[in-house]
Structures are given as structure tokens and as C-alpha cells.
Amino acid sequence: MQCPAHVNADEPISLPYPHIWRRNGATPSIQIKDVPAETHAVLRRRAMAAHQSLQEYLRSRLILEAGSPTVEEVLDRAEGRAGGSAPFGAVTEALREDRDRR
């Protein structure tokens, strides 16, 4: 296989997520068993519509899922924060001003 003209085959390439590589050079993987046939068919159709392989499609979905915190995670983070205090009137006035600017 030939390298594209802009790539020097003698130089190491940098990977986008070097911190997830294991010592043996393999990235972590996930295997899901007992997927219902209809679920598999739907996911394959969606992957095809996105012009991706099923693996690429599912990988992108997993990355999106992991990148968004769950409600429970957000509440856990909020629980550890110290809140400030403001008079009710000042808060409602600030909200009205903000809405009026929109």
C-alpha cells in the first residue's frame, strides 16, 4: 500500500487519542452479544444511510453517548458545588432583562 504524497512513510504518525492506547498497541474494544436481529438490521440501515460501516457508526454513537453526562452525573456534580445567594427580586429582574434582550 502506498502512502499519500503528504505523508512521509519514515516518520511516525501521531494518533488522535494516544492516551487510550494500551501497552500492546491495541485500543480497548467492546463486544455485544445477543443483539436482536431487528435491532441489528435497523443499526445496519442507519450506518448505510450515514455512509459508514456498522463499526464506524456504532463507534461514533458510543463516543457521543460517553461525551454527554447523564442526568445523574450532572446532579452529582451539582451536589458538590456551593451555591450563592441572591434576593428573589434581583433574580427575577435579571431574568426579565435577559428575556427582553432576546
Side-chain angles (χ1 to χ4, degrees):
M1 184 166 150
Q2 192 149 5
C3 291
H6 67 280
V7 175
N8 182 347
D10 297 326
E11 292 181 13
I13 60 170
S14 79
L15 300 170
Y17 303 105
H19 60 280
I20 64 171
W21 288 91
R22 293 185 182 176
R23 290 185 187 148
N24 65 1
T27 58
S29 63
I30 297 172
Q31 182 179 28
I32 302 172
K33 297 181 180 184
D34 300 322
V35 176
E38 182 58 29
T39 300
H40 184 266
V42 167
L43 293 171
R44 280 201 71 70
R45 283 193 300 271
R46 290 178 183 172
M48 287 176 59
H51 304 288
Q52 295 177 313
S53 69
L54 181 58
Q55 179 178 334
E56 290 169 324
Y57 178 77
L58 292 174
R59 180 180 179 274
S60 67
R61 300 293 300 180
L62 287 171
I63 291 169
L64 283 172
E65 174 66 25
S68 301
T70 64
V71 172
E72 190 172 295
E73 290 168 336
V74 170
L75 293 175
D76 285 346
R77 281 197 319 237
E79 188 177 279
R81 295 183 180 162
S85 62
F88 183 76
V91 172
T92 55
E93 183 179 335
L95 285 171
R96 281 194 191 104
E97 289 174 2
D98 185 54
R99 289 177 184 157
D100 289 345
R101 280 183 277 186
R102 294 181 191 181

